[in-house]
Amino acid sequence: MTLLTDTIVSNLWGQQAAGFTEDWLEQTLGLGPLEVQNAFARTRVVDGFNATLGLPRWRITALVAGSTALITLEKPIKGWEERMEMLEAEGIGLRRSEGFGRLAFNHPVFEQCQNIRESAIPLDPQLWLNGRRGSDLVMKLWEEELDKNRSVLLKIKKQHGKRFNSCFGALARWLYLSGDHPLEEVIVQLLSMSDQEQGFGKPNEALVAAIGKQEYGERSKDNFFTKEGKDGIEAILKTLEYLKKEDPLHRRGGIRRLAEWIAGLVREEGSAL
């Protein structure tokens, strides 16, 4: 028996049922002696006002919709099936005219679910859980891949100290902000950083033309990534090639984790390998 709506069942002393017991079930259902084999019930408090007096009604307790009891009829009365149909049509308990007390016997949800073998709406294979690694596992393997190249960057840090911290710190910030960009675009940008002709430190030609070459002066700076930091860029590119093999859903998190990993090396005290 399953309650389809909240149900208020009261005994002769005005006490409301807070669960399924044989005494009130036998009296209310009228199906003869029965046994409760298993039951699940929750309750809630029902408040209200008397429409005539405008005063609050007595606070009562109702069994919540969805509460269910597995019952066995020990000696069913004659015409017990018709009695069940009447109970389903009329309901049980108090305030049925307000929607309380609707119930169902042998609800299909309990009878037919065991016959369901597959979803009525098939999922795309790419949405299946099997064969797809979770985010936690992907990030763990990604961090292990990053740590394989840790010694390369620490070697540069040991040799160039402050310059490493300045340049790779800026690189980490740029990577973090590039997390929403396509991975292929990030790789192209990194490749350009170590390019002697178009890498970092070169003046913006449009800006030079607008200001004038003579007034702009010589403002070019040596690109740390084309010489001293080139091995570090190559190591980062190597890790990103690994990330390309993972599900695209993990690439954004992977790039940002790379940025945090580089930032951690920049903040790391000392330069021991």
Side-chain angles (χ1 to χ4, degrees), residues 110-164:
F110 298 111
E111 288 193 326
Q112 298 180 5
C113 284
Q114 64 268 28
N115 298 323
I116 298 177
R117 294 291 180 266
E118 60 183 13
S119 172
I121 304 177
L123 291 176
D124 188 283
Q126 294 185 356
L127 298 178
W128 294 356
L129 292 177
N130 293 337
R132 297 188 69 179
R133 298 192 293 197
S135 179
D136 291 342
L137 176 58
V138 170
M139 288 299 106
K140 181 178 182 296
L141 296 175
W142 175 232
E143 290 178 3
E144 291 176 358
E145 185 67 23
L146 293 176
D147 286 338
K148 292 178 183 179
N149 296 278
R150 179 184 178 86
S151 60
V152 176
L153 274 75
L154 286 181
K155 182 178 180 180
I156 302 173
K157 180 182 177 78
K158 181 179 180 180
Q159 295 173 345
H160 302 283
K162 293 182 178 180
R163 191 79 191 279
F164 172 90

Side-chain angles (χ1 to χ4, degrees), residues 90-216:
E90 297 182 359
I92 60 174
L94 305 176
R95 298 170 64 172
R96 281 176 277 174
S97 61
E98 300 175 36
F100 290 91
R102 302 304 303 272
L103 59 82
F105 293 102
N106 299 326
H107 195 286
V109 72
F110 298 111
E111 288 193 326
Q112 298 180 5
C113 284
Q114 64 268 28
N115 298 323
I116 298 177
R117 294 291 180 266
E118 60 183 13
S119 172
I121 304 177
L123 291 176
D124 188 283
Q126 294 185 356
L127 298 178
W128 294 356
L129 292 177
N130 293 337
R132 297 188 69 179
R133 298 192 293 197
S135 179
D136 291 342
L137 176 58
V138 170
M139 288 299 106
K140 181 178 182 296
L141 296 175
W142 175 232
E143 290 178 3
E144 291 176 358
E145 185 67 23
L146 293 176
D147 286 338
K148 292 178 183 179
N149 296 278
R150 179 184 178 86
S151 60
V152 176
L153 274 75
L154 286 181
K155 182 178 180 180
I156 302 173
K157 180 182 177 78
K158 181 179 180 180
Q159 295 173 345
H160 302 283
K162 293 182 178 180
R163 191 79 191 279
F164 172 90
N165 292 343
S166 175
C167 294
F168 277 87
L171 176 62
R173 292 191 293 274
W174 174 80
L175 279 170
Y176 191 85
L177 295 174
S178 300
D180 294 325
H181 296 177
L183 180 57
E184 292 74 13
E185 182 179 317
V186 174
I187 291 175
V188 170
Q189 292 288 337
L190 282 171
L191 284 169
S192 70
M193 290 180 185
S194 58
D195 191 309
Q196 186 70 35
E197 297 299 325
Q198 59 178 353
F200 282 3
K202 295 295 182 181
N204 185 290
E205 297 298 332
L207 182 61
V208 173
I211 297 177
K213 190 172 183 179
Q214 184 175 357
E215 183 177 347
Y216 185 89

Side-chain angles (χ1 to χ4, degrees), residues 1 11 30 41 49 59 64 74 87 92 101 125 135 138-139 145-146 152 172 185 189 199 220 227 231 247 250 263 268:
M1 184 183 79
N11 61 19
F49 283 86
R59 175 171 288 185
V64 175
E74 297 180 347
L87 290 169
I92 60 174
S135 179
V138 170
M139 288 299 106
E145 185 67 23
L146 293 176
V152 176
E185 182 179 317
Q189 292 288 337
S220 299
K227 297 179 181 179
D231 290 344
D247 193 308
H250 300 302
E268 188 172 306

